[in-house]
Amino acid sequence: MTVERAHLPSLDGEPHANAFPAAEPKTIRLALDAGERVDPHTHPGRDIVLYVVDGAIDLELDGDAHALATGDAARFEGEREISPVAREPSTALIVLAERAESEG
């Protein structure tokens, strides 16, 4: 298996940049200025991990805010309504993994 590498600061796209466009899981660099937010949305069928590389983000999930700072990670289901809001200039790495079908 080959190793793919991406340098987050060099990725094109604001506020979202896809680190590995043709690969799963989706891996997104999110860069927000202070006070900037991403409108509420969902990612059905995915499990999400959001890791704050630098800065401070209020991660709104279904209307409840969760304060995250540099080094913090949050994991949640993509059916939840997400809206990250930067309290200061911030960068986060978001991994959106397709949820495996449970075998019954």
Side-chain angles (χ1 to χ4, degrees), residues 56-59 65-69 72 87:
I57 292 175
D58 286 330
L59 177 61
H66 304 272
L68 302 176
D72 288 342
R87 293 192 313 266

Side-chain angles (χ1 to χ4, degrees), residues 29-101:
R29 190 245 17 238
L30 176 66
L32 298 172
D33 291 328
E36 190 175 7
R37 79 176 310 127
V38 176
D39 290 336
H41 63 285
T42 61
H43 296 279
R46 293 197 179 259
D47 287 322
I48 301 172
V49 173
L50 184 147
Y51 172 74
V52 181
V53 176
D54 60 53
I57 292 175
D58 286 330
L59 177 61
E60 293 183 5
L61 292 173
D62 297 330
D64 295 326
H66 304 272
L68 302 176
T70 299
D72 288 342
R75 182 177 177 271
F76 52 94
E77 293 178 341
E79 284 73 18
R80 298 191 67 184
E81 189 174 73
I82 176 177
S83 180
V85 182
R87 293 192 313 266
E88 60 188 61
S90 302
T91 303
L93 184 68
I94 305 171
V95 178
L96 302 100
E98 290 183 339
R99 189 168 306 118
E101 296 279 333

